[in-house]
Amino acid sequence: MENAEGHGVELFDAVNAAIGSRLAESRHLLLVSHLRPDGDAVGSLLGLGLALQESGRSVQMVLADGTPSAFGHLVGADRISAAIRPGFDVFIALDCAESMDAGNAAAQLGPPNINVDHHASNPGFGTLNLVDSSQVSTSAVIARHMSSWGLSASAPVAAALLTGIISETLGFRTANVTAATMRQVADLMDQGADLPSLYLRAEVGIAVHRRIRSAHGK
Amino acid sequence: MENDVSAAIKAQLEAGQSFLVASHVRPDGDAVGSLLGIGLALRDAGKHVQMVLADGVSSSFRHLEGADLIKTAFEPEFDTFVTVDCADYKRTGKLLAGLRQPDVNIDHHVTNERFAHLNLVEGQEVATAAILTNYLPAWGYPITRPIAAALLTGIITDTLGFRTANVTPEAMRQVATLMESGVDMPELYMRGLVRRSFAAARYWGRGLGNLERRDGIVYGTLTLEDRKGAAYSGSDDADLINVISAIDGFKVAMIFVEQTHQHVKISWRALEPGIDVSTVALRFGGGGHAAAAGADVEGALDQVTRAVIKATKEMLRL
């Protein structure tokens, strides 16, 4: 698939339709993101995972390295596990750029059914590949496309996705932040994400250690 | 009520031919951004405009188009006098002391003293630049790319990069609209809020080297000696308060900046919700917001520090 820099949503119509029908027939999903998870790994995993759970599906959310305590405040963070259990009909990789860097257990499963990412370097290792490099983060890719999969963003979903955007853009300062990004942020805030409080807790700049410790309640 | 004020300001700006527009001493990004925003808009409309900052434009904002038009002196001939981002008149500085009452006062500080004939004060807005973003088009002044860059700089700096508690979805959409005029927001962010001179970083080091903590307050001090030693050219804190505000375990962060002629400039930042530091700033003749406030107090550094820390501790016990 060609990189989507500057192209509209319609470029993804075909793959979105395929992802939508794959999700529609799914009952048990496995979602994984990458090793040494950052805010976008956690945010995209929780964002899509919670949205699928809210639509009545059973979802395993897996980070082989576990969830960093800095993200313990996000709803659903305690539902992320480090191990994969058998029994899923759809396998989704999120924010895994170069290849399946989601850990050995995930790699042994073979290509994921769905690969969602924002890295232009993503080779498209899934059966269905949504690689939208016009977006600042994988959580932004999900925020942009999830309605076409029949999913909506509740407040916890919006908070997870916004956390991914905040941390991947270092607080809206990277060169790829556009007016569309800011409108997307405004929409997530309308859906219930509390930007100032999520910003304080996200891993941005010099405040990292303070936030990690406050996430521990110290 | 605000509609009436807005209509009256529109008429006043229309009638004016020669403007004096001023903002506050030790100008931050919102002072420079809102000054340039309205100043360039009036110039574009064919008016004669003098833009004045008593302390001039700091290096963090000289990249803004029109910054070279801002002067530290003014000619006494003008028919309309406008202040932006000034909570009280004396914030404009000694340069403008004793001038006639301003015609128009545009500001977002809740503590604004409404000192002009027409006062447009909107405390819920994130920056004075945000107020101008809303009203300039309604008053008939198009927001060109240089004006958008100035206004966006005011919003970026006053929200510390969209992170303060008053940032709303509307504010983010306003930012998007300004970005759509073609300005490079991340570049403005880097220049206005992140990049600092070598001298400023050395100056920070001196302030961080003498950090103190007392009863939930963490504070630093910058002396005239520190300024000289670091070869820092400004009379402000080089935004060291933002670094001190990241320190864990305190209710309030503060910085004391010694000024010439026995003055001390003080900044407060509330580090927990529910604390209103503007109350203690008001006690010392300053002002600001619940989360961020400042004052300029006459006296020797050690005496002022003692008195202000004592008052801040009292405020915290309330």
Side-chain angles (χ1 to χ4, degrees), chain B residues 267-284:
Chain B
S267 294
W268 288 262
R269 294 289 182 275
L271 304 182
E272 287 179 0
I275 296 173
D276 182 357
V277 290
S278 73
T279 57
V280 66
L282 272 174
R283 267 184 65 179
F284 289 95

Side-chain angles (χ1 to χ4, degrees), chain A residues 131-208:
Chain A
V131 181
D132 185 350
S133 63
S134 74
Q135 298 298 296
V136 292
S137 66
T138 300
S139 52
V141 178
I142 292 166
R144 187 186 193 205
H145 297 279
M146 65 188 295
S147 65
S148 71
W149 307 333
L151 298 173
S152 56
S154 65
V157 170
L161 297 175
L162 185 50
T163 293
I165 294 173
I166 294 168
S167 56
E168 197 75 359
T169 61
L170 305 175
F172 316 113
R173 80 165 84 156
T174 50
N176 56 355
V177 172
T178 62
T181 312
M182 298 313 252
R183 290 193 191 283
Q184 192 177 44
V185 169
D187 291 343
L188 291 170
M189 292 171 79
D190 281 338
Q191 281 150 354
D194 179 353
L195 166 66
S197 122
L198 294 168
Y199 191 116
L200 277 179
R201 288 167 169 277
E203 288 202 27
V204 178
I206 55 169
V208 173

Side-chain angles (χ1 to χ4, degrees), chain B residues 135-154:
Chain B
Y135 283 95
L136 281 177
W139 295 336
Y141 302 92
I143 294 183
T144 61
R145 203 165 60 89
I147 293 172
L151 296 175
L152 199 42
T153 294

